């Protein structure tokens, strides 16, 4: 846990991928898995944004995980997660493969670092909407939820957690600046690797872990090789073995760089 952002809190974003209703259900299973993992480690997880699925599950959600080294312990979850099971939404209970993308971003609270990220107002596209869910009548009648998109990079953040638009706007901008800060750090590392003549492979968008619930039960990380038959335990938040193996994998790759 020696990365520049490892001590930070984390924003975990889950997006349902290919697989229709099954994929949206899978995204909700991952949301629960990370919430349970946060509870196991003594972190606090809260929902920043959540978009319900059409029939079941969720289309997307963003979780804020607060606690020392939250990002360090969760950073290895970034990537595409694949589920294989008998579909509960298919009358024939056919075997179904579903995908969900997970992004993990540190929430940088160092004001000096955030202030160092210059974002021109003309580069921001703001939109507002009504918040759903709990929070009283105000959040459902007033457009308190906000979404900000950084036009040059395409990065977008949506925040519905706070009761006022102003508070959601401030939190969304803070998370956006954190993402831009990480992007700049990754760009520098890639440039250094290019100078060294090494190939750079981006993590995000690649399949990082497979969860098989039928015809046998297994969870396997495709980067570290760690696997277990205790799929139910993993889905209930037992991720320590995977997190520790990823940190060792990251350190080994850094030492070989």
């Amino acid at each position: 846990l020696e990365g520049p952002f490892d001590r930070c809190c984390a924003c975990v974003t889950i997006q349902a991928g290919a697989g229709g209703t099954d994929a949206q259900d899978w995204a909700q299973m991952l949301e629960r898995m990370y919430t349970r993992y946060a509870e196991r480690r003594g972190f606090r997880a809260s929902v920043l944004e959540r978009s319900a699925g059409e029939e079941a599950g969720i289309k997307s959600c963003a979780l804020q995980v607060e606690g020392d080294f939250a990002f360090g312990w969760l950073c290895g979850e970034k990537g595409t997660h694949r589920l294989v099971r008998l579909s509960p939404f298919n009358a024939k209970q056919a075997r179904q493969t579903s995908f969900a993308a997970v992004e993990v971003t540190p929430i940088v609270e160092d004001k000096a670092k955030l202030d160092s990220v210059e974002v021109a107002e003309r580069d921001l596209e703001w939109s507002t909407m009504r918040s759903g869910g709990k929070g009283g009548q105000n959040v459902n009648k007033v457009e308190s939820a906000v979404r900000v998109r950084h036009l040059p990079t395409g990065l977008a953040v949506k925040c519905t957690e706070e009761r006022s638009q102003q508070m959601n706007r401030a939190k969304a901008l803070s998370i956006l600046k954190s993402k831009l800060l990480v992007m700049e750090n990754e760009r520098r590392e890639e440039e250094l690797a290019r100078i060294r003549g090494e190939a750079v492979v981006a993590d995000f968008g690649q399949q990082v872990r497979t969860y098989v619930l039928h015809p046998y039960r297994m969870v396997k990380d495709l980067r570290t090789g760690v696997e277990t038959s205790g799929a139910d335990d993993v889905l209930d938040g037992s991720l320590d073995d995977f997190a520790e193996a990823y940190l060792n994998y990251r350190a080994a790759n850094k030492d070989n760089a």
Side-chain angles (χ1 to χ4, degrees), residues 98-228:
S98 307
F99 296 88
V102 176
E103 180 185 357
V104 185
T105 307
I107 299 177
V108 180
E109 297 180 341
D110 186 324
K111 189 175 185 301
K113 287 185 178 180
L114 290 178
D115 289 345
S116 71
V117 181
E118 296 182 2
V119 181
E121 189 62 34
R122 64 178 180 275
D123 290 336
L124 298 178
E125 181 181 79
W126 293 92
S127 56
T128 60
M129 63 221 73
R130 294 180 184 177
S131 293
K134 298 179 181 179
Q137 294 181 356
N138 179 65
V139 298
N140 294 311
K141 291 182 179 180
V142 180
E143 292 191 339
S144 58
V146 302
R147 181 179 184 272
V148 58
R149 181 169 176 264
H150 186 241
L151 299 176
T153 62
L155 290 175
V157 176
K158 182 180 178 184
C159 189
T160 64
E161 179 192 26
E162 306 295 346
R163 292 178 61 87
S164 75
Q165 184 183 122
Q166 185 177 3
M167 294 172 69
N168 279 323
R169 188 181 177 98
K171 177 161 283 189
L173 184 58
S174 177
I175 294 174
L176 177 64
K177 283 189 172 185
S178 294
K179 289 189 175 187
L180 290 171
L181 196 61
V182 173
M183 178 179 285
E184 176 61 20
N185 187 69
E186 290 176 346
R187 187 194 65 77
R188 289 174 183 169
E189 291 180 354
E190 289 178 4
E191 179 64 17
L192 183 59
R194 186 190 66 78
I195 292 171
R196 288 173 176 168
E198 299 164 359
V200 177
V201 179
D203 253 9
F204 191 63
Q206 294 187 343
Q207 185 177 314
V208 296
R209 193 176 303 147
T210 295
Y211 308 69
V212 181
L213 302 183
H214 182 82
Y216 52 89
R217 304 182 84 78
M218 180 198 73
V219 179
K220 180 174 182 177
D221 193 288
L222 305 180
R223 301 157 299 181
T224 64
V226 171
E227 65 176 88
T228 176

Side-chain angles (χ1 to χ4, degrees), residues 14-30 56-60 81 83 85 87 89 96-101:
I14 305 166
Q15 180 75 46
T21 302
D22 279 278
Q24 294 176 7
D25 185 55
W26 172 224
Q28 186 172 30
M29 290 169 66
L30 288 173
I58 58 173
K59 295 178 181 178
S60 66
H81 295 245
L83 172 69
R85 65 173 174 175
S87 171
F89 305 102
Q96 176 77 27
T97 299
S98 307
F99 296 88

